Amino acid sequence: MKNRDQNSFWKLGIFYYNKQDKRLLPPKRTGLGWTVNFANPFSVALFILILMAIILITKYFSTK
């Protein structure tokens, strides 16, 4: 999607925010991988779930 590269969809240059883009994890602007579309509530929920899983796994292994 060409719109992904427009500066108006990038807040502070790193946060992708495009209400017209329905993808949960669109490709990054540069390099390999994906980014979170912060305009999509399901994308934000997925991001929070992944973040919580990482925190819980880290706490579990740090107590042993």
Side-chain angles (χ1 to χ4, degrees):
M1 178 177 226
K2 284 187 176 183
N3 292 339
R4 175 176 46 93
D5 294 330
Q6 290 180 355
N7 286 334
S8 62
F9 295 125
W10 293 89
K11 306 303 178 194
L12 301 174
I14 58 172
F15 299 107
Y16 182 65
Y17 191 91
N18 182 353
K19 290 183 180 182
Q20 294 143 356
D21 190 349
K22 299 300 179 196
R23 296 177 291 182
L24 293 178
L25 299 171
K28 283 186 174 184
R29 191 177 202 181
T30 58
L32 297 174
W34 299 273
T35 189
V36 176
N37 181 3
F38 285 97
N40 185 332
F42 295 112
S43 181
V44 174
L46 178 64
F47 172 72
I48 291 171
L49 285 173
I50 291 170
L51 191 61
M52 287 174 50
I54 291 170
I55 291 169
L56 290 173
I57 290 169
T58 304
K59 285 189 180 220
Y60 175 78
F61 284 110
S62 67
T63 59
K64 292 192 173 204

